[in-house]
């Protein structure tokens, strides 16, 4: 049975949602790369942790659990964890669906703060503009191109789910593989 799974894809593709559902189904521990990459602060997702600190924190958590699912992108900063992966799942869906999900999530998280004049308006707008570049972006950003290069270096099995479907359908696909 596969017990160490990494799920990555574009922001809004459902990596965290699938990871949580699978972790629940399999009774595995779920970790998300954002929890290691970003320093918790009054304005979330604005201050990255130093490289060594995020690696140390994630290493400790992964080491303390035999079965886990890690969601999010760690290309570059987390390459030291590649040998631990028994399965990598890559999610991709159309840009319009992803961006719609992201805008909805931003509204749910921050409410009126993302509206013009709100204290998260600029950050939210920049985030969405960044996320829109995923399909055509270069390797200097989190992009399909960067993920494809990163995936090509893996030795473990890779499961690609590259269309929109329900969480349950995705869980069923993964369960049939593992």
């Amino acid at each position: 049975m596969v017990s160490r799974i990494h799920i990555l894809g574009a922001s809004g593709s459902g990596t965290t949602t699938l990871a949580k559902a699978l972790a629940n189904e399999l009774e595995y521990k779920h970790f998300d790369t954002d929890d290691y990459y970003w320093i918790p602060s009054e304005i979330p997702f604005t201050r990255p942790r130093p490289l060594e600190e995020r690696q140390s924190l994630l290493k400790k958590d992964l080491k303390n659990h035999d079965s886990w699912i890690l969601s999010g992108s760690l290309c570059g900063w987390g390459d030291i964890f590649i040998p631990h992966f028994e399965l990598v799942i890559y999610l991709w869906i159309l840009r319009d669906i992803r961006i719609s999900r992201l805008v909805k999530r931003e509204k749910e998280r921050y409410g009126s703060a993302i509206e013009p004049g709100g204290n998260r308006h600029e950050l939210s707008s920049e985030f969405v503009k960044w996320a829109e570049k995923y399909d055509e972006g270069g390797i200097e950003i989190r992009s399909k191109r960067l993920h494809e290069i990163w995936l090509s270096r893996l030795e473990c099995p890779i499961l690609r789910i590259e269309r929109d479907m329900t969480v349950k359908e995705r869980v069923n696909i993964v369960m049939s593989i593992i």
Side-chain angles (χ1 to χ4, degrees):
M1 177 81 141
V2 174
S3 60
R4 297 174 298 180
I5 301 170
H6 176 48
I7 305 173
L8 75 151
S11 291
S13 63
T15 60
T16 303
T17 302
L18 177 59
K20 287 178 179 178
L22 277 173
N24 185 54
E25 178 86 16
L26 296 166
E27 297 181 4
Y28 287 8
K29 183 72 175 164
H30 171 240
F31 302 107
D32 192 86
T33 58
D34 280 344
D35 295 331
Y36 302 92
Y37 189 88
W38 300 105
I39 295 173
S41 66
E42 287 182 21
I43 305 175
F45 310 113
T46 57
R47 295 181 41 225
R49 285 185 206 277
L51 174 65
E52 297 80 17
E53 184 180 343
R54 66 181 99 124
Q55 289 175 336
S56 175
L57 290 168
L58 182 55
K59 185 178 191 176
K60 179 183 173 191
D61 282 345
L62 296 182
K63 187 178 179 180
N64 287 330
H65 298 276
D66 293 328
S67 302
W68 46 259
I69 300 173
L70 175 65
S71 57
S73 184
L74 48 59
C75 298
W77 74 265
D79 289 354
I80 63 170
F81 302 105
I82 290 173
H84 300 285
F85 304 148
E86 295 176 344
L87 174 67
V88 170
I89 302 169
Y90 173 72
L91 302 181
W92 181 88
I93 56 173
L94 293 171
R95 176 187 7 237
D96 290 347
I97 297 168
R98 289 192 321 264
I99 298 307
S100 176
R101 288 178 178 180
L102 290 176
V103 169
K104 181 180 180 213
R105 185 176 75 192
E106 289 285 291
K107 286 179 183 176
E108 289 170 356
R109 280 185 178 169
Y110 307 112
S112 63
I114 68 167
E115 300 300 325
N119 68 346
R120 282 218 49 112
H121 176 70
E122 188 174 330
L123 289 169
S124 182
S125 296
E126 287 175 11
F127 170 64
V128 171
K129 285 178 190 170
W130 168 82
E132 287 174 333
K133 297 176 185 176
Y134 179 82
D135 291 310
E136 293 83 23
I139 61 170
E140 73 284 353
I141 65 168
R142 182 174 170 183
S143 66
K144 185 166 179 54
R145 184 170 170 206
L146 175 68
H147 281 163
E148 291 295 346
I149 291 169
W150 190 83
L151 289 166
S152 73
R153 296 179 182 149
L154 301 180
E155 294 184 14
C156 70
I158 299 166
L159 171 60
R160 293 173 175 270
I161 303 175
E162 299 182 302
R163 63 185 176 101
D164 190 29
M165 57 183 66
T166 68
V167 177
K168 184 65 175 160
E169 289 171 320
R170 287 179 171 184
V171 166
N172 290 341
I173 289 170
V174 175
M175 295 301 289
S176 73
I177 298 295
I178 61 172

